[in-house]
Amino acid sequence: AQLHGAAKTAGLLYFGTETESVSFGDAAYQAALKGNNDFGQITPGNSMKWDSIQPAPNTFSFTAGDAIANLATANNQLLRCHNLVWHQQLPAWVSGGNWTAASLTAVLQNHITTEVTHYKGNCYAWDVVNEALNDNGTFRNDVFFNTLGMEYIKIAFQAAAAADPAAKLYYNDFGTEFPGVKSTAAQGIVKMLKAASIKIDGVGFQAHFTVGGTPSVATQVTNMQAFTALGVEVAITELDIRMTLPQTDALLAQQKTDYQTTAAACLATKNCVGLTVWDFDDKYSWIESTFPGTGSGDLMDATVTKKPAYFGVLQAFTGK
Ligand code: G3I
């Protein structure tokens, strides 16, 4: 059994990975991405974000996003589409604009309607709103919240639902993988949308964890169940588990345990549909540049060699 195959046998919909066009010329990586039934789903790391799709007002550029969508089709992989509204990778014409509530609503609706319509039928799910919350559970003071308050979240989900009624619409965040104020606030977003009869289908837990700092199975399951009790599905959407370098055998062993823990938590949660790693190969990881002195967070090393963590996930799915 391989990761995606074993995940399906165990009852999940998919096991997948983030990927980007920077790896298109890398034969070993591409073989691992499409071979062996390890990855049944992909997510574009950057190319469906606002700065890539609409870099200037009403100038849309789908080439990079299409390349990932086409790869999913060619490889027979599900596509998670990421993301429509986020405070990062947001062009300055949006973040620095001088908006009224009406003018920013029009911009949001135009962006979402145009992008979701373009990818209609391709996306298993859309991350509609990404990282709206601060760690203390308040809303981030980005241009959307400052101009529209919580209404921007309703506007975003409504526009996405109208443009592709078949795509699952997700709220996606980090630091929400365990009970606490941020998780409670994310549940508040689900409740707010449900109370307004606005479509939300899922909540994504990014799960950018650290070796030894990964929440236990029970903690993750309890937390995810608080969301599924509200009538949404859940998924692990950006899993990686970084360590302080240099890598040691002891750290790799703990990392294996931590990956196994997270896969087991999804499996043990009814309506946790799948897991996505935020790339499977250390060569293309975002971790080292963002958290200097840490790294080695992925299932395979930069030579596409499986680390113990790979077998930890497989054990969670197969029991052996
Ligand atoms: O495209 C430019 C290129 O033109 C320029 O020459 C180069 C020089 O720095 O930068 C390139 O942009 C980079 C972009 O990735 C594409 O490679 C940005 O600097 C870099 O900041 C950006 O990083 C991405 C990061 O989001 C931005 O916050 C990572 O690749 C991407 O993996 C990461 O993904 C996020 C999820 O979307 C949301 N959750 C957290 C996760 C990790 O940060």
Side-chain angles (χ1 to χ4, degrees):
Q2 302 299 330
L3 299 179
H4 175 65
K8 288 196 73 162
T9 301
L12 301 182
L13 195 54
Y14 61 82
F15 187 88
T17 182
E18 177 271 350
T19 196
E20 257 313 330
S21 57
V22 63
S23 67
F24 282 3
D26 183 336
Y29 175 97
Q30 290 301 322
L33 178 67
K34 75 160 173 268
N36 308 325
N37 207 16
D38 274 327
F39 305 105
Q41 175 273 322
I42 60 174
T43 306
N46 288 302
S47 62
M48 290 188 186
K49 292 171 178 174
W50 197 312
D51 63 351
S52 179
I53 294 288
Q54 194 187 178
N58 222 21
T59 299
F60 286 86
S61 169
F62 292 109
T63 310
D66 289 357
I68 304 294
N70 292 340
L71 184 66
T73 304
N75 289 351
N76 194 24
Q77 290 158 324
L78 289 175
L79 184 65
R80 290 194 85 264
C81 294
H82 172 85
N83 58 53
L84 295 168
V85 184
W86 188 29
H87 70 102
Q88 284 186 37
Q89 290 170 288
L90 185 65
W93 72 266
V94 182
S95 59
N98 187 16
W99 305 109
T100 62
S103 63
L104 188 59
T105 298
V107 163
L108 260 178
Q109 289 173 333
N110 184 47
H111 180 76
I112 293 168
T113 303
T114 305
E115 180 165 7
V116 176
T117 300
H118 181 84
Y119 290 111
K120 185 176 178 179
N122 286 279
C123 305
Y124 165 73
W126 261 112
D127 288 331
V128 178
V129 175
N130 193 48
E131 302 174 15
L133 296 167
N134 294 310
D135 287 348
N136 68 4
T138 59
F139 282 88
R140 271 180 206 278
N141 279 315
D142 59 18
V143 65
F144 303 113
F145 186 73
N146 283 337
T147 310
L148 293 162
M150 294 185 303
E151 278 300 303
Y152 91 83
I153 298 187
K154 297 183 188 170
I155 293 164
F157 277 85
Q158 270 172 325
D164 187 355
K168 304 273 189 194
L169 305 184
Y170 271 62
Y171 176 71
N172 190 53
D173 211 333
F174 65 87
T176 47
E177 302 89 354
F178 46 88
V181 287
K182 194 170 187 180
S183 172
T184 302
Q187 291 162 42
I189 290 175
V190 176
K191 289 177 186 170
M192 173 183 75
L193 292 170
K194 294 257 180 202
S197 299
I198 296 169
K199 185 176 187 284
I200 176 168
D201 303 292
V203 172
F205 301 96
Q206 293 185 9
H208 295 295
F209 291 145
T210 57
V211 167
T214 297
S216 71
V217 174
T219 297
Q220 292 195 56
V221 171
T222 300
N223 184 65
M224 287 192 278
Q225 285 174 343
F227 287 85
T228 58
L230 301 176
V232 290
E233 64 179 44
V234 295
I236 304 289
T237 52
E238 305 185 11
L239 177 62
D240 47 33
I241 308 183
R242 62 187 180 269
M243 62 181 67
T244 301
L245 299 173
Q247 175 184 300
T248 64
D249 287 349
L251 287 167
L252 287 170
Q254 182 62 47
Q255 183 182 52
K256 175 184 181 182
T257 300
D258 291 347
Y259 265 99
Q260 186 166 356
T261 291
T262 305
C266 181
L267 202 56
T269 304
K270 188 175 178 330
N271 295 327
C272 183
V273 297
L275 295 96
T276 306
V277 289
W278 206 246
D279 227 317
F280 62 88
D281 179 331
D282 288 330
K283 187 171 174 181
Y284 299 107
S285 178
W286 66 289
I287 292 171
E288 289 195 41
S289 59
T290 306
F291 298 105
T294 77
S296 190
D298 298 326
L299 297 174
M300 301 185 200
D301 70 15
T303 65
V304 204
T305 302
K306 294 168 184 167
K307 294 195 271 189
Y310 175 98
F311 300 98
V313 175
L314 203 53
Q315 279 174 27
F317 293 152
T318 62
K320 39 182 197 281

